[in-house]
Amino acid sequence: MGISRTGTASAPVRIQVSRTGRPALGARMKAKGLPEQNGVPQELPLDQIIVGDCVAAMNALPSASVDLIFADPPYNLQLGGDLRRPDDSLVDAVDDDWDKFASFAEYDAFTRAWLAAARRVLKPDGALWVIGSYHNIFRVGAILQDLGYWMLNDIVWRKANPMPNFRGRRFTNAHETLIWAARGESSKYTFHYEALKGGNDDLQMRSDWYLPLCTGDERLKDAAGAKVHPTQKPEALLARVLLSASNPGDVILDPFFGTGTTGAVAKALGRRFIGLEREEVYAKAARERIAAVQPLAPEAFAAAPSKRSEPRIPFLSIVEAGLVKAGETVIDEKRRHKAVVRADGTLMLGPAIGSIHKVGALAQGLPACNGWTFWHVERADKLVSIDVFRSAARSELAKAG
């Protein structure tokens, strides 16, 4: 996703940091920047970055206050020693302290703590996205389910330009996995099915996404040309997540904010964000980056109405309104099938009588058919879908209401 910016932020030099830390789970560092009275937050710190431990920061937020969470936690990559290319040059791999844990048990305890805190701040119909690799995503998924989250999908982000496997001893690691989970089994989560399908050439959006890594001008670098953060995610990935599972004005929480991709995309798409980041060096880079983002015009991201939420208009109402007349002939787009409209809103095809859907399916020899898009009528020597009349009826209904 190409985000419009007012200028280029000067990014700080990348340093070795300890983002997830080593304080014991019961002795977390306090998050800074939360407005409190008697220890209780008075309002959400919207469009702000809170510097501090993510669990402490989430525990300081009001419960049931966040619509969506996107989390890019440490992967616990377990890298041992330097990684070099065939020409013996050093690979800029993730070797920061924040990705190092003493054991799987320590990593699991950390994961359970932040996921539990995240679930508390989610609204009843909220959802969480978490991204990981084969090193950690299976452990994260098991803990998610243990805590009561309800799995919706796993998404495979297939990288257009993955890093090669330089040692030649394994397959090239060309993907990462995202888990999309509702807060609970009964959550009425947000999903913009029609919008995603429309943007995908009217095909259902699949669970494998082919997107490039974060490169070029989008990648934050210091004065020496080094990456500010080793695992910066592409804006296109975050845009697809937010467009699919949130609405304009929703509050998006990112507990591992890094250099602020979630905040930058949220601002561009008319969402509010809360960023939690342990290290000021990353938070500073994120603030400068987000300040330069120009929000899109509201019409560029306004949520399209879901067809399921639109009022039901029976075909009989179209006939009664005289938009399609009884006795008129309806025809398919390829002019292979014809049926007669009856006064009661049914169609007659030979001896068969039934709904626009049933007769459309019968004409094609199929088990089902969307009669609204299948049947057309002649208007001014052109075929017009009867769905046009349904849309017109809905517009009139909306004006009256």
Side-chain angles (χ1 to χ4, degrees), residues 286-362:
R287 290 190 197 99
E288 295 177 359
R289 175 188 186 183
I290 294 168
V293 172
Q294 290 292 305
L296 296 174
E299 58 268 23
F301 57 73
S306 169
K307 290 183 178 179
R308 295 180 182 179
S309 66
E310 294 178 327
R312 181 180 177 274
I313 304 292
F315 184 60
L316 175 59
S317 295
I318 305 301
V319 176
E320 290 172 339
L323 298 173
V324 177
K325 299 183 182 300
E328 191 171 0
T329 298
V330 292
I331 188 170
D332 73 295
E333 190 174 21
K334 295 183 179 179
R335 299 179 181 273
R336 294 182 299 184
H337 307 288
K338 295 181 178 180
V340 177
V341 178
R342 289 164 45 91
D344 60 2
T346 60
L347 300 184
M348 182 170 65
L349 179 65
I353 295 175
S355 70
I356 56 173
H357 312 295
K358 182 177 179 180
V359 173
L362 181 65

Side-chain angles (χ1 to χ4, degrees), residues 172-188:
T172 295
N173 185 23
H175 78 277
E176 292 183 31
T177 301
L178 298 95
I179 293 175
W180 176 35
R183 187 187 185 280
E185 183 177 359
S186 61
S187 298
K188 296 181 175 64

Side-chain angles (χ1 to χ4, degrees), residues 8 15 79 82 88 92 139 164 174 201 217 220 225 230 243 252 277 281 299 304 307 335 362 370 372 375:
T8 302
I15 60 173
L79 295 179
D82 292 338
D88 205 39
D92 187 13
R139 309 185 78 85
D201 295 336
D217 292 340
L220 299 191
L243 289 170
I252 315 299
E277 175 50 53
V281 65
E299 58 268 23
K307 290 183 178 179
R335 299 179 181 273
L362 181 65
N370 183 345
W372 289 108
W375 294 114

Side-chain angles (χ1 to χ4, degrees), residues 5-338:
R5 294 174 172 82
T6 57
T8 302
S10 59
V13 177
R14 175 184 165 196
I15 60 173
Q16 296 288 328
V17 297
S18 176
R19 176 150 64 112
T20 60
R22 281 298 160 267
L25 295 178
R28 301 249 175 216
M29 61 184 286
K30 184 177 180 180
K32 301 177 182 178
L34 295 178
E36 296 183 0
Q37 183 175 340
N38 298 324
V40 179
Q42 298 304 294
E43 59 184 17
L44 286 175
L46 296 176
D47 304 326
Q48 296 181 40
I49 303 172
I50 307 303
V51 177
D53 179 85
C54 68
V55 176
M58 284 189 282
N59 286 340
L61 293 174
S63 61
S65 58
V66 170
D67 297 288
L68 187 74
I69 294 174
F70 180 85
D72 182 11
Y75 287 10
N76 193 25
L77 294 177
Q78 311 137 44
L79 295 179
D82 292 338
L83 181 61
R84 295 185 177 275
R85 298 181 179 88
D87 63 1
D88 205 39
S89 60
L90 189 64
V91 175
D92 187 13
V94 182
D95 57 0
D96 302 81
D97 289 342
W98 52 256
D99 195 60
K100 297 175 182 177
F101 292 81
S103 64
F104 286 129
E106 181 181 296
Y107 185 78
D108 291 349
F110 166 74
T111 300
R112 185 173 294 274
W114 78 257
L115 282 174
R119 190 168 186 270
R120 187 190 69 83
V121 300
L122 273 176
K123 294 178 181 178
D125 294 330
L128 172 141
W129 290 72
V130 57
I131 187 170
S133 69
Y134 66 89
H135 302 87
N136 72 322
I137 198 65
F138 303 107
R139 309 185 78 85
V140 171
I143 294 170
L144 272 170
Q145 291 180 308
D146 289 344
L147 291 174
Y149 288 91
W150 189 254
M151 294 286 192
L152 299 172
N153 272 116
D154 67 325
I155 305 293
V156 173
W157 167 29
R158 189 160 64 95
K159 302 173 185 178
N161 48 346
M163 181 183 293
N165 185 277
F166 294 108
R167 292 174 179 169
R169 296 181 179 179
R170 301 184 185 182
F171 295 106
T172 295
N173 185 23
H175 78 277
E176 292 183 31
T177 301
L178 298 95
I179 293 175
W180 176 35
R183 187 187 185 280
E185 183 177 359
S186 61
S187 298
K188 296 181 175 64
Y189 56 88
T190 296
F191 181 52
H192 295 295
Y193 169 83
E194 288 89 358
L196 290 169
K197 184 177 179 181
N200 195 41
D201 295 336
D202 287 326
L203 298 173
Q204 287 188 347
M205 182 65 72
R206 292 162 46 118
S207 62
D208 53 334
W209 298 354
Y210 185 67
L211 297 167
L213 291 167
C214 179
T215 56
D217 292 340
E218 185 182 323
R219 188 89 201 202
L220 299 191
K221 296 182 180 179
D222 61 27
K227 300 172 186 175
V228 173
H229 194 291
T231 64
Q232 182 181 336
K233 295 300 184 288
E235 291 171 355
L237 180 69
L238 268 296
R240 191 173 294 187
V241 168
L242 297 193
L243 289 170
S244 66
S246 71
N247 295 305
D250 278 359
V251 177
I252 315 299
L253 171 68
D254 186 335
F256 306 98
F257 204 60
T259 50
T261 302
T262 299
V265 175
K267 182 179 177 181
L269 296 178
R271 277 71 170 165
R272 311 301 297 272
F273 72 86
I274 301 172
L276 311 179
E277 175 50 53
R278 190 178 181 92
E279 297 302 322
E280 176 59 36
V281 65
Y282 293 153
K284 182 177 184 293
R287 290 190 197 99
E288 295 177 359
R289 175 188 186 183
I290 294 168
V293 172
Q294 290 292 305
L296 296 174
E299 58 268 23
F301 57 73
S306 169
K307 290 183 178 179
R308 295 180 182 179
S309 66
E310 294 178 327
R312 181 180 177 274
I313 304 292
F315 184 60
L316 175 59
S317 295
I318 305 301
V319 176
E320 290 172 339
L323 298 173
V324 177
K325 299 183 182 300
E328 191 171 0
T329 298
V330 292
I331 188 170
D332 73 295
E333 190 174 21
K334 295 183 179 179
R335 299 179 181 273
R336 294 182 299 184
H337 307 288
K338 295 181 178 180

